[in-house]
Amino acid sequence: MNVFSKRNEESIMVNGLTIIYTGKGKGKTTAALGLALRASGYEEKICMIQFIKGSWHYGEMDSSKKLEPNFEMVAVGKGFVGIIDDKSPKEDHEKIAKEAIKISNEKIQSEKYDIVILDEINYAVNLGLIDVKDVINLIKNKPKFVDLVLTGNYAKEEIIEIADLVTEMKEIKHPFQKGIKAKKGIDF
């Protein structure tokens, strides 16, 4: 086992943190992926469960494979809800989000991962796809050593209160304001 591991019995048990990246600015998932990149350098095991983006193709689907076996990505969502080309009924999104909660709990409780990232989970709560109580239960019942990262705008106050670290991304300027569309490698 890695000497830096939070589970190393010869070292002091380090409590895992609950980290939230939220806000209307860009970079929440990117921050979580940066954390995963850093942690994989210490041979930590990371699992990222994606609640919303699932059906679209984006760069992290391919790049995450390059971090295997330390990094596992599980894309569960059907794509962004209610925008662009979403033709799925809300009930379908709710069913899949509830499945993502179940998968998240299994991954967190498995004790195979040092870090579990719940990507876009704050959006899923805000859209009413899952209940805030389900997220609070994930946080309160996680093994002590697991770092849990929650991304997405609209983080609920109840979740913010129990988190250890909350960073709000604030948009100052965005290329979309100039008519520049999403860019491969930057936005997806």
Side-chain angles (χ1 to χ4, degrees):
M1 184 166 288
N2 184 341
V3 294
F4 293 109
S5 174
K6 293 174 276 192
R7 294 181 272 182
N8 187 333
E9 293 183 28
E10 296 174 12
S11 67
I12 298 171
M13 178 69 102
V14 176
N15 286 337
L17 301 174
T18 298
I19 300 167
I20 299 174
Y21 296 123
T22 192
K24 293 184 179 182
K26 184 172 168 20
K28 297 171 286 291
T29 297
T30 305
L33 288 167
L35 185 146
L37 180 65
R38 176 180 288 152
S40 68
Y42 291 108
E43 299 297 323
E44 290 194 6
K45 305 295 182 208
I46 303 110
C47 181
M48 180 178 214
I49 297 125
Q50 296 193 305
F51 276 73
I52 302 287
K53 296 176 182 168
S55 66
W56 292 5
H57 186 271
Y58 34 91
E60 60 261 34
M61 293 176 79
D62 299 323
S63 62
S64 64
K65 291 179 174 112
K66 296 176 182 181
L67 294 176
E68 290 176 352
N70 290 347
F71 188 94
E72 176 186 2
M73 181 179 288
V74 182
V76 184
K78 284 185 63 115
F80 288 97
V81 183
I83 63 166
I84 306 176
D85 59 355
D86 177 30
K87 295 181 181 30
S88 299
K90 187 175 180 187
E91 295 79 29
D92 287 358
H93 289 289
E94 289 171 350
K95 181 180 176 187
I96 289 170
K98 285 176 178 47
E99 179 66 18
I101 284 287
K102 181 180 171 210
I103 291 167
S104 298
N105 189 56
E106 289 168 1
K107 298 291 185 181
I108 292 166
Q109 296 303 323
S110 73
E111 298 194 11
K112 289 174 25 181
Y113 304 97
D114 300 294
I115 299 171
V116 177
I117 300 168
L118 306 178
D119 189 39
E120 309 289 3
I121 192 168
N122 295 327
Y123 285 118
V125 172
N126 188 62
L127 291 167
L129 304 179
I130 53 176
D131 193 298
V132 69
K133 292 176 191 162
D134 293 329
V135 179
I136 291 169
N137 285 336
L138 289 175
I139 295 167
K140 289 188 172 180
N141 295 319
K142 71 178 185 66
K144 207 169 187 129
F145 68 88
V146 173
D147 290 305
L148 189 59
V149 181
L150 293 78
T151 75
N153 201 3
Y154 309 108
K156 297 294 183 192
E157 194 58 40
E158 306 96 289
I159 297 171
I160 289 172
E161 285 178 22
I162 60 175
D164 299 297
L165 170 66
V166 180
T167 297
E168 181 177 7
M169 309 300 192
K170 180 180 174 189
E171 183 178 306
I172 306 295
K173 190 175 183 180
H174 197 289
F176 189 73
Q177 296 162 341
K178 294 180 184 177
I180 299 171
K181 301 212 185 284
K183 186 176 178 186
K184 188 187 294 187
I186 300 293
D187 295 298
F188 62 93

